Amino acid sequence: MTAVQPHAAKATPRRGFLIGSAVALLGTVIVEVLLGLMIGSPGRDLVLVAGAAVAGMAVGSVVVYGTLRHSDRWLSHNADAPGFPPRSGRIDGVDPPAVAAPDSEAAAGKPLHKLAAKQFDAISAKALVVTGELGHYKELLGILRDQVTNVSTETEGAALDILTRLNEIDRHIQDMIAFLNHAGTSDKMVDLMDRTEARMVANRRLLDEFRESCDQASVESKERLGEFQSMVADLNRVVGQVRGISRQTNMLSFNAAIEATRAGEAGKGFAVVASEVKQLSRGSDKAAVDIQDGIARLQVAISVSLQSMVHNRLEAERKGFDVISDSIAELTENLDRFISHQRDVMTKIHEASEVIAHPIMALIGSIQFQDITRQELQHVSQGMEFVASHSGQLRVVLEDFGKDHDLDSIQTMIAELMEQYVMSQERNIHNAAIGNGELEETGPLVQLF
Amino acid sequence: MGKKILIVDDSPTILMSMRAMLERAGHAVSNAASGEEAVSVLKGGLKPDLVITDFHMGAMNGIDLVREVRKMTALRFIPVLMVTTESQQAKRLEAKAAGATGWLVKPVQPDALLQVIKQVVPGA
């Protein structure tokens, strides 16, 4: 605390005014430095508005304060001096100083004490205005502090909302990854594959059985054809025997006719029989020839028909088997291709999900910036508290400038503000604002003890 | 293998962020919003494999919490990590002297955090 006390320095009001102005300028600079420390932090717009207001008010208030302080000291020192002029204006019991009049006023011949009283009245009026305005600083800074707090609160709400949504997205991605991992090796999938493979094998076996059956049928057909041809050969042999018998019968009838002729009249009847036998023999032979021809034609017809039937059937079955076999092969190939494609798709989705999941988790980590911002805004609010406190003290000094006051030093406040910081960045901004270019070294982000 | 981890921080954002990162890695997470709440939870019987705490947290700061943890017989040797925005070297040394295991500066990315946990928690 800086004690503000009247002293016995022999300062004239003009010197007092000049000193007051200097103090005012210094105060302004300090306030601006204090505000400059804060504009590196979030909420800079609010702080700039507050800074402009505080700086302007501080200049005016400290000018008046400095002037009154030195006027007060001057009066205290000269009040009892002989020939001190009568007082025409008073503020809180303080007599107006006998200010040295400007040259023009002196030239006009006005009394110096009247000029001083007039100037004092004007200063007093301004002091009252400044005092009143200073009273509103607390309110103004309270508003700004609440706004900063609101920014912090809203940012936190938004950060939590973002985190909630990111968590939701991450959960869905994890579910999908788990599903893909499970689907690739699941019992259901394995069972489906096994059943499909078993069905394919069964179809192939069935096809082979059919083919074998057809081959067997073909062999049987050929065997039957052979049997038929054997039967035909037997029939031809029988027909040959019949024709042999006919030929012998014919020879027998011829001999009988000769013997009948040799027997004369007695053999006439026998000759008729021999003639009939001959006719029967020729008829039998002709019938045997006809049968033989019929059998030959039947053999040809049946052979052609049977061969055609077997051939056509085999051809049709072969084509059918080829179609079925090709279909099954294509089906198997397509199924393999589909399963392979499906596996590729699942692998791709799995990889993409992993790729997406990583930055989402990094985002969740980055949202922690909100806590950093919150702390920085807290320190800005702390700076506003300092300014509010100091403006209140200035107001008290102005309201009651005849007394001693303990006034906090701005430098002390700046130092206290420095103590509030926790981050190197804050301290570096602070140091840069007060002209200290020294940068604090940042330690390692991760350190194990 | 998942471990039991207690996170202590007065920021809901940090609690939520850290919980998401740790649960994603398979850890079981409990949290406390202050040093006092953490002490209460620990005295209530929670035996975490790791405590991760903020530094600045109102009345009881992270270093105070470390000291309290070290007083508890069952938790005397569990690792305690400080995760904070505080960057002063003096504070790090203070935390080390109090018995903290390590120091991480916010914001903490999941890879770095999980790597540190593997280093300080056996079997993690």
Side-chain angles (χ1 to χ4, degrees):
Chain A
M1 303 288 274
T2 302
V4 179
Q5 296 175 337
H7 59 80
K10 291 186 177 180
T12 64
R14 184 183 294 272
R15 280 184 61 199
F17 188 82
L18 291 173
I19 293 169
S21 300
V23 172
L25 286 172
L26 180 62
T28 304
V29 168
I30 291 169
V31 170
E32 296 229 351
V33 166
L34 185 61
L35 293 166
L37 294 176
M38 295 185 285
I39 62 174
S41 303
R44 96 173 33 192
D45 291 343
L46 294 173
V47 173
L48 284 173
V49 172
V54 171
M57 297 303 290
V59 170
S61 63
V62 179
V63 165
V64 173
Y65 170 69
T67 303
L68 292 179
R69 286 269 301 124
H70 286 277
S71 298
D72 186 26
R73 284 200 297 270
W74 191 89
L75 287 171
S76 299
H77 183 69
N78 295 291
D80 299 330
F84 193 82
R87 301 162 182 173
S88 60
R90 296 171 65 84
I91 296 177
D92 293 338
V94 178
D95 294 329
V99 179
D103 291 344
S104 58
E105 296 287 356
K110 291 183 180 177
L112 290 178
H113 71 276
K114 288 185 178 176
L115 293 173
K118 187 178 177 184
Q119 190 175 20
F120 194 81
D121 285 345
I123 291 170
S124 298
K126 289 183 178 176
L128 288 174
V129 172
V130 170
T131 302
E133 290 298 317
L134 280 174
H136 294 299
Y137 271 134
K138 189 173 182 182
E139 184 182 9
L140 173 62
L141 290 167
I143 292 169
L144 295 174
R145 191 182 57 244
D146 289 347
Q147 296 284 15
V148 168
T149 303
N150 184 52
V151 168
S152 183
T153 304
E154 286 190 346
T155 309
E156 184 172 275
L160 291 175
D161 187 46
I162 291 169
L163 275 173
T164 303
R165 291 168 194 274
L166 285 175
N167 277 334
E168 197 174 339
I169 293 170
D170 185 60
R171 192 171 60 251
H172 286 309
I173 290 175
Q174 293 308 310
D175 287 348
M176 188 162 68
I177 290 173
F179 170 77
L180 291 173
N181 285 336
H182 178 67
T185 56
S186 71
D187 294 340
K188 198 173 177 181
M189 192 71 168
V190 170
D191 182 56
L192 181 66
M193 300 289 291
D194 286 348
R195 280 195 290 134
T196 305
E197 187 67 25
R199 182 61 59 86
M200 289 293 179
V201 170
N203 287 341
R204 282 182 185 281
R205 190 165 55 241
L206 195 61
L207 196 61
D208 290 341
E209 286 174 2
F210 274 137
R211 195 188 295 275
E212 196 175 326
S213 171
C214 289
D215 290 345
Q216 182 64 30
S218 174
V219 170
E220 287 176 0
S221 296
K222 285 177 182 173
E223 286 175 357
R224 281 177 190 155
L225 185 60
E227 288 173 3
F228 172 73
Q229 285 174 339
S230 175
M231 287 169 65
V232 169
D234 288 344
L235 283 174
N236 280 331
R237 194 167 50 252
V238 171
V239 169
Q241 288 174 351
V242 170
R243 288 192 69 188
I245 291 170
S246 293
R247 277 195 300 275
Q248 287 175 357
T249 304
N250 189 37
M251 284 299 295
L252 185 63
S253 66
F254 182 70
N255 290 330
I258 292 171
E259 291 299 327
T261 301
R262 192 180 297 160
E265 192 63 30
K268 282 187 179 178
F270 190 70
V272 173
V273 172
S275 175
E276 287 297 319
V277 170
K278 186 177 181 180
Q279 289 297 324
L280 286 174
S281 171
R282 285 179 179 169
S284 296
D285 187 56
K286 187 175 182 302
V289 170
D290 289 343
I291 289 170
Q292 193 172 28
D293 290 344
I295 288 171
R297 286 197 301 274
L298 184 62
Q299 182 185 14
V300 170
I302 289 175
S303 292
V304 169
S305 176
L306 196 59
Q307 281 182 349
S308 174
M309 188 173 69
V310 170
H311 176 76
N312 290 343
R313 179 185 165 193
L314 288 175
E315 187 67 23
E317 285 176 347
R318 188 175 295 112
K319 284 181 180 175
F321 284 134
D322 288 346
V323 169
I324 294 170
S325 182
D326 290 347
S327 297
I328 289 178
E330 188 179 351
L331 189 63
T332 306
E333 188 182 343
N334 286 344
L335 187 64
D336 288 343
R337 200 180 300 155
F338 171 75
I339 290 170
S340 174
H341 176 70
Q342 192 73 4
R343 189 169 289 123
D344 288 346
V345 168
M346 288 165 70
T347 303
K348 193 71 182 172
I349 294 174
H350 189 282
E351 288 173 357
S353 301
E354 290 283 3
V355 168
I356 293 170
H358 192 266
I360 284 179
M361 200 40 65
L363 266 178
I364 287 175
S366 298
I367 297 291
Q368 292 174 17
F369 89 91
Q370 186 276 325
D371 183 48
I372 297 168
T373 304
R374 177 182 64 84
Q375 293 184 46
E376 289 173 337
L377 288 176
Q378 275 181 352
H379 301 145
V380 171
S381 285
Q382 187 65 45
M384 290 180 181
E385 291 281 358
F386 288 158
V387 174
S389 169
H390 196 258
S391 67
Q393 291 177 15
L394 289 177
R395 182 170 184 266
V396 170
V397 169
L398 279 177
E399 282 178 343
D400 199 7
F401 60 81
K403 294 182 180 177
D404 292 346
H405 297 283
D406 288 332
L407 185 63
D408 286 337
S409 160
I410 290 284
Q411 290 294 350
T412 303
M413 292 184 180
I414 290 175
E416 286 181 9
L417 189 60
M418 184 71 163
E419 291 299 314
Q420 302 294 322
Y421 300 139
V422 297
M423 290 167 244
S424 299
Q425 182 185 346
E426 290 178 301
R427 284 187 279 271
N428 288 337
I429 291 172
H430 183 113
N431 283 331
I434 61 174
N436 180 2
E438 185 181 347
L439 290 177
E440 179 179 307
E441 284 188 17
T442 305
L445 296 179
V446 176
Q447 183 177 10
L448 294 180
F449 301 136
Chain B
M1 183 182 169
K3 296 291 177 182
K4 286 187 288 184
I5 299 175
L6 173 64
I7 312 171
V8 190
D9 203 302
D10 58 351
S11 163
T13 307
I14 297 295
L15 288 178
M16 199 168 182
S17 168
M18 302 272 273
R19 174 182 277 273
M21 288 191 281
L22 295 173
E23 286 186 340
R24 171 75 131 63
H27 300 297
V29 178
S30 303
N31 55 261
S34 66
E36 293 86 348
E37 185 184 341
V39 170
S40 173
V41 167
L42 292 171
K43 286 184 175 174
L46 180 70
K47 288 187 173 53
D49 299 302
L50 169 69
V51 174
I52 298 175
T53 180
D54 188 17
F55 186 98
H56 299 285
M57 293 185 298
M60 178 183 280
N61 67 25
I63 291 180
D64 296 332
L65 176 59
V66 173
R67 293 193 181 105
E68 287 296 320
V69 169
R70 295 299 176 231
K71 287 179 191 171
M72 299 177 192
T73 309
L75 305 175
R76 195 170 176 183
F77 299 109
I78 67 163
V80 180
L81 294 172
M82 310 284 300
V83 178
T84 177
T85 52
E86 178 60 60
S87 57
Q88 281 189 322
Q89 187 60 27
K91 294 286 196 299
R92 294 191 189 216
L93 296 176
E94 192 181 347
K96 181 181 179 182
T101 310
W103 185 279
L104 290 87
V105 177
K106 293 177 185 174
V108 180
Q109 284 300 319
D111 291 346
L113 179 63
L114 297 175
Q115 182 64 33
V116 169
I117 291 174
K118 281 182 181 173
Q119 288 179 263
V120 301
V121 181

